[in-house]
Amino acid sequence: MKQRPLFLATGVLVLAPVLAWAGPEVNTVPSQWAGLYAGAQLGLNQSNAYDLDTRTSLTGGVSAGYNVALPISTAPAPVIVGGDVFAEFNGQSTHNRDVTYGSNVVGVDLMAGYPVGLGRDLLPYLKVGLGDVSATGDLSNSNTSARIGLGAQYRLGPDLAAQAQWMHQDAGHISNDNFTVGLNYQFSLQ
């Protein structure tokens, strides 16, 4: 448990220079997807551990991040790249052999997407990152590993976007697949 703050601090230290490098001078193309945001998600987690069966439980999470718009001369809209820090809380389920467990995950993700549609209101994206998975319930191990996912956001208004996302992570003996929907609020820095 004491490693978690160090893990988050390390993730922020790694992420901050990347976002600073891609700072305001790169973000010259106007985009409704660029800037600071925070969000919350709810959904389902499919999890298995060791040789236990796969079970589904509720999951919830929060995230905060920053996106920048990268212009590409031949593209009609800028590519959106960014990063976030997140926390996910996966509910406990009883698996075969009467083992009950869930997991909590904290980490950092990097995102790349391209806005499409009329008004560029839809942003499909790919995410990769690192997460520290801590088992709860009858299991007590912790492991840090890579994660990958796909998702899309749809702009509901100038500051609000709906999000649907799938994230997969194999962390040692625990495997999580999260299917979530949520809302992201974009902070206006003007």
Side-chain angles (χ1 to χ4, degrees), residues 5 7 20 31-32 38 47 50 78 84 86 96 102 114 117 120 125 129 131 136 141 145 164 175 187:
F7 176 78
S31 175
Q32 60 193 356
S47 181
Y50 300 95
D84 65 37
F86 68 87
N96 58 335
Y114 186 77
R120 307 287 180 212
Y125 60 83
T136 62
N141 63 335
S145 67
S175 175
F187 297 95

Side-chain angles (χ1 to χ4, degrees), residues 50-61:
Y50 300 95
D51 57 349
L52 301 174
D53 59 347
T54 299
R55 294 291 182 189
T56 301
S57 62
L58 293 178
T59 186

